[in-house]
Each structure stands twice: as structure tokens, then as C-alpha cells.
Amino acid sequence: MIGLSQFEMWFVTGSQHLYGDETLQQVAVNAEKIVSFLDQDSHIPVNVVFKPVVTGSQGISSLCLDANNSPNCIGLICWMHTFSPAKMWIGGLSSLIKPFLHLHTQFNRQIPFDRIDMDFMNLNQSAHGDREFGFIGTRLQLDRKVVVGHWEEASVKAEIGAWSRAASALLDSKKCRIARFGDNMRDVAVTEGNKVSAQVRFGYEVHGFGVGDLVASVGEVEETAIDRLVTVYMDTYEVGKDLRETKSFAKLREAARIELGLRRFLEINDCAAFTTTFEDLHGLNQLPGLACQRLMADGYGFGAEGDWKTAALVRAMKVMGAGLTGGTSFMEDYTYHMPENGPALVLGAHMLEVCPTISKSKPVLEIHPLSIGGKADPARLVFSVRSGPALNATLLDMGNRFRLLINEVKVVDIDEHMPNLPVASVFWEPQPDLKISATSWIYAGGAHHTSFSQAVTTEQLKDFAEMTGIECLVIDQDTNIAAFRSQLRHNQLSYGLAISN
Ligand code: MN
């Protein structure tokens, strides 16, 4: 399970020596008050850490270098309580490799009309101090999030919280290792990509392993460990009576063996995400289904058919959504329901690998044949998904940049039963409707594989895109095809001009 309380966001207050010690002491006292308020707020899942007020270029540079070197620092929140001439920030900000958020706030909510004087004006001048700081961020072309409002406002805390989740995902991504068993399935294009570019952008490493190494790990699993895991299955899920039959039970034990071998392999190789492909399963008795589902539920990123970009995205979104209500899963737009009356729906599912964190009830453990692949019948969890807002996100390699494409959707309950559908599935109404959503998605080159989430928000993903310097496109209630296509053309031009990797 992923915890965000290990991470720190450093709160940096800028000033200068002009105002004297007394003012600087007051600046520090006020900043500490804001820090302790934000640190205790439930919107913000990471620790907010007060840093001594900075007043000169050397202090700023050394603080930025400390942030770079701190293994748990996800980034900085910068705020100018007073005026802080921004030339002193050039060195530090230029060397900062962690993301930063510019909080444009003010300690006092209201002007004390009866006692306001020039001392008050000098102490509380973020209204222009933060503009000076904003200029240097833009002048240096630095990606950052600007949050405006009084620090006690709910929207300010929520925006900081969203950013802190994205920054946590980025820090995690920088040390993430992804295991690939086999290459991309067949000749699929959209699941391909440049792994060097991905490592430059996101930090994660993609490691290829022969499936034989996994088979060896699966072969080392002890029978007693399988006994214990099968008991966990029986206690955790609804188990049909057919599964208790000798033949099926042997297949369930095989699924447990694969899970234990895969889990151990990922632990030994320090991998937080992985891919499989049913084209390359030599020596594995079943396509890993239940194993992928349960590993995803524990926070691992997963992509089927060699899709390492989606595996990495699922992992990042698992980190972003940690502790929030709702889950995150690998997903695929599978088939449509287009009634003459009523909104068109998408049936999302996959061969097997849908994460039970999005299940609306206790998943049912079943074993069924796989109609393609020619392997033994694999075990899988079957369930449907709770209704409500959700989103699908996909990451595309456009050749000169990565594009993060998001579609907000509404998960709906349906009355019909699907007794012959042997996989977990979800119905959603894409926003604003299927026509505009799919038209825009296809023009944007969006994949059939996505990371689906009922926990992660568009804001968090946009923050993540901003701090990794990638393109981000959103299809939501307000999308109109003409404007969306125009945005695609403008982005094509602007990224064509930008330096890429
Ligand atoms: Mn697929």
C-alpha cells in the first residue's frame, strides 16, 4: 500500500534585509502559522515543512540544492510575504529540479482600516512581492502552479493538496522501475514509445526480462505458501461452488503460484509496475489474471500487452490517489452500447486485468476459458463498478513529446445482467457524450488502453503534466470538437518549436 505521509513539501518564504530584523521575525512567525495550518489540513496528504525565511541569493541557492538532494522532498511552496527582489532567485530556481508551487496569498484577510500605516504596508506586500516573483518564473520559462487566495480558503488548500499528490507521484516516478515480460503484443502501435524519452521526462526505468526468469520464480514457490494464499482468496472473495471442484481448484492453486512468483520477482527486482503479454507466456501455465488484479490493488502499476506507458501511468495515478475514496485501474474501451433512445455508453473491461479497488461489491472469484491465447483457463475476479464521476487517462508518444489525454466520464448502473460475461466490467457515459468524446479522442490519437480512476482528478493530472513538461488535453463537459481540433493544431505548432527529447 502507498502512503504519502513519508513525503515533505517545503514551505519557502521570500523576503529581503531592507525591512530590519523585527519585520523578518514577524514574517517568520506568520509563515510558521500558515505552515502549521496547512500541515494539519486533510486536503494535503504530505508533510508541510517550514523553512527559514530566505533573504539572499546564497541562501536561496543552497535551499534549492538541499531540496534537490532530499529524498523525501516532493517540491517547494514559495510565497513572498514582503518584496523579495527576484534577481536573487535566478540561481536557485535555475538549479531546482523539484517542482514548485507559487502560493499567492496574504497573511491578513482584511485591511485593518483604523491602524493601517506604512509599517503594515511594508510587512504585508505580497500583492506586489509575488508579482515580482511571478515575473522571474515566467522569464526563466519555469513550469509551476500558481495558487491564489487567502491561505485559509478551502479552494486554496484543495489546489495545494492536488499539486502535492501530483508531486508525490513525480517523486515516486523518478525512482520507479518497470518490469516488462516480453515485448509489445503483435504489431500494436499506440503501446509503443521511446523509453529513453520517457526516462528523461518521468525518471522511471523500463527493464525487459525474459519470461523464463519469471517462470523460474514461479517454479520456486512452495506448496505451503500456495495453501496460505488460497485461504486468503477464499476469505476475501465470493467463491463459486464450481471452483471447489478438484479440477478447477488445481487451476486456482496455479493462479496462486503465479501470483506468489510474480510478486516475489517484482520485490527482488524492486519494480513498482509491470507488463505482461499473452503472446509471450512460454512456461507459464495461465495468463496472469488474478495476480495482476491483486498486485494492482496493492498499488502496482500494470499494463497489458507490453504497454509500459500505461503501467507507469497506472502507478503514478495509484500514488496520486492514495488514501482517497475510489480506486484506479488499468482499463480498455471494449465495446459500445448505443440505444436509439438514451445516451451511448462504453463498456470498459479487459481480458482479465481490472483492479478490484474499483469494485462496488465483494468480487467473485471465477475460472473460465480464455477464448484466445491457447493457455489453461485462468482465474480472475469478476465485479462491476460503483456509479459516479470518473476519468480515463492515456499517455501517448507523439514522436517529439508525450501527450496526456484525459476524458471525464460518468459511471452508470445498468439494470441488465450479463451472465455470460466472465470479466470485471464498467459502464460509463463519456463526457460530454460519446460523439464528442470519441471524435476528440480519436483526433488526439488517444489509445484504447487507459488508466481509469474514481479517485484521481483532472486537476491532479494537469498538475502532473505541468511539472513533467508534457502536453495535456482534457475532454470534458465543455469540450467542443472545433475548438478541440484547433487546440490540437496549435499544440502541434508550439511543440514543433520547442526543444524536445
Ligand atoms: Mn488490451
Side-chain angles (χ1 to χ4, degrees):
M1 289 296 172
I2 300 161
L4 301 183
S5 58
Q6 59 184 307
F7 294 130
E8 296 177 352
M9 181 162 55
W10 292 4
F11 192 99
V12 182
T13 312
S15 188
Q16 61 176 323
H17 284 295
L18 179 69
Y19 313 109
D21 284 347
E22 204 181 318
T23 300
L24 286 177
Q25 276 164 20
Q26 193 58 48
V27 166
V29 167
N30 292 350
E32 274 187 278
K33 214 174 259 182
I34 295 176
V35 169
S36 97
F37 179 81
L38 295 178
D39 188 44
Q40 283 161 26
D41 190 81
S42 61
H43 291 88
I44 302 169
V46 302
N47 299 303
V48 186
V49 177
F50 172 80
K51 289 288 162 185
V53 176
V54 289
T55 52
S57 55
Q58 280 199 338
I60 293 168
S61 288
S62 83
L63 182 132
C64 290
L65 294 176
D66 286 350
N68 289 347
N69 287 330
S70 163
N72 292 326
C73 173
I74 58 166
L76 310 181
I77 300 190
C78 300
W79 170 51
M80 306 303 117
H81 192 312
T82 60
F83 199 83
S84 181
K87 282 205 255 181
M88 71 172 75
W89 287 86
I90 292 173
L93 290 180
S94 300
S95 63
L96 183 68
I97 55 170
K98 300 278 171 89
F100 73 98
L101 179 151
H102 181 187
L103 175 61
H104 181 42
T105 191
Q106 178 170 285
F107 184 71
N108 55 304
R109 237 184 214 286
Q110 299 184 37
I111 289 174
F113 294 103
D114 54 344
R115 62 180 175 84
I116 186 168
D117 57 13
M118 279 320 288
D119 285 344
F120 181 92
M121 295 277 273
N122 283 332
L123 178 63
N124 300 286
Q125 50 179 314
S126 44
H128 68 287
D130 271 327
R131 288 167 204 255
E132 165 75 355
F133 183 75
F135 166 74
I136 209 63
T138 297
R139 177 68 177 77
L140 295 172
Q141 299 184 41
L142 299 174
D143 295 325
R144 78 276 193 198
K145 182 174 193 175
V146 178
V147 175
V148 178
H150 191 260
W151 46 280
E152 287 172 319
E153 280 170 25
S155 68
V156 167
K157 294 181 289 183
E159 285 173 57
I160 295 171
W163 183 87
S164 75
R165 288 180 172 279
S168 298
L170 178 59
L171 190 64
D172 179 82
S173 177
K174 295 212 163 163
K175 56 180 197 280
C176 183
R177 290 162 52 89
I178 301 171
R180 289 184 91 213
F181 301 107
D183 205 319
N184 275 42
M185 192 187 72
R186 301 191 187 276
D187 293 319
V188 177
V190 77
T191 51
E192 287 285 3
N194 187 323
K195 301 185 199 78
V196 175
S197 299
Q199 192 170 339
V200 172
R201 270 296 150 208
F202 308 107
Y204 58 71
E205 299 171 13
V206 184
H207 293 276
F209 293 97
V211 73
D213 295 339
L214 174 59
V215 170
S217 176
V218 169
E220 285 166 11
V221 172
E222 294 175 354
E223 296 299 318
T224 50
I226 296 175
D227 295 341
R228 284 195 298 274
L229 185 55
V230 168
T231 306
V232 171
Y233 292 167
M234 295 295 182
D235 292 345
T236 312
Y237 310 116
E238 294 287 342
V239 181
K241 66 175 188 316
D242 58 316
L243 234 178
R244 298 179 193 271
E245 291 166 9
T246 317
K247 224 169 112 191
S248 294
F249 200 69
K251 289 171 186 164
L252 185 63
R253 289 186 65 85
E254 192 55 32
R257 187 190 307 280
I258 292 172
E259 178 184 334
L260 288 162
L262 178 54
R263 196 178 278 276
R264 186 154 178 275
F265 188 96
L266 295 173
E267 280 166 8
I268 287 173
N269 289 287
D270 195 23
C271 293
F274 66 105
T275 70
T276 58
T277 164
F278 68 78
E279 200 177 31
D280 193 353
L281 294 173
H282 293 287
L284 277 185
N285 185 274
Q286 301 174 9
L287 171 65
L290 181 59
C292 298
Q293 293 181 295
R294 286 174 45 82
L295 283 161
M296 259 192 280
D298 288 343
Y300 283 88
F302 172 75
E305 294 131 32
D307 189 349
W308 52 271
K309 295 199 301 300
T310 304
L313 184 60
V314 170
R315 168 64 187 185
M317 288 170 66
K318 291 275 185 192
V319 176
M320 271 179 237
L324 295 176
T325 306
T328 295
S329 177
F330 174 72
M331 187 57 71
E332 181 167 285
D333 293 76
Y334 225 111
T335 193
Y336 291 138
H337 179 59
M338 298 168 141
E340 283 178 34
N341 303 310
L345 304 177
V346 180
L347 172 60
H350 205 258
M351 295 281 291
L352 304 170
E353 311 92 337
V354 181
C355 179
T357 56
I358 61 172
S359 176
K360 73 172 170 192
S361 53
K362 205 175 185 181
V364 183
L365 183 54
E366 297 179 14
I367 289 183
H368 299 281
L370 209 58
S371 53
I372 47 179
K375 286 282 168 180
D377 307 349
R380 81 287 305 273
L381 298 170
V382 180
F383 52 85
S384 50
V385 175
R386 63 185 82 85
S387 59
L391 57 78
N392 283 310
T394 188
L395 188 67
L396 308 156
D397 184 341
M398 302 303 293
N400 65 346
R401 66 190 184 279
F402 287 99
R403 166 178 286 169
L404 183 65
L405 178 63
I406 302 160
N407 186 196
E408 296 184 353
V409 304
K410 196 166 77 184
V411 176
V412 294
D413 284 320
I414 58 155
D415 295 332
E416 290 78 3
H417 291 283
M418 301 180 289
N420 295 317
L421 187 69
V423 291
S425 62
V426 46
F427 279 95
W428 67 74
E429 211 181 306
Q431 301 298 297
D433 58 31
L434 177 67
K435 192 173 183 66
I436 296 173
S437 154
T439 305
S440 306
W441 188 271
I442 288 169
Y443 276 126
H448 55 289
H449 283 173
T450 57
S451 177
F452 167 95
S453 184
Q454 295 184 308
V456 172
T457 63
T458 298
E459 182 184 15
Q460 293 163 17
L461 286 167
K462 280 163 99 169
D463 288 348
F464 185 74
E466 183 80 30
M467 59 186 66
T468 50
I470 65 168
E471 183 186 6
C472 184
L473 295 165
V474 180
I475 304 166
D476 61 12
Q477 198 54 52
D478 299 326
T479 297
N480 123 349
I481 294 172
F484 190 81
R485 294 194 71 186
S486 165
Q487 189 186 358
L488 290 178
R489 279 190 290 270
H490 291 150
N491 285 7
Q492 189 65 25
L493 181 63
S494 86
Y495 282 92
L497 296 170
I499 297 165
S500 61
N501 50 51

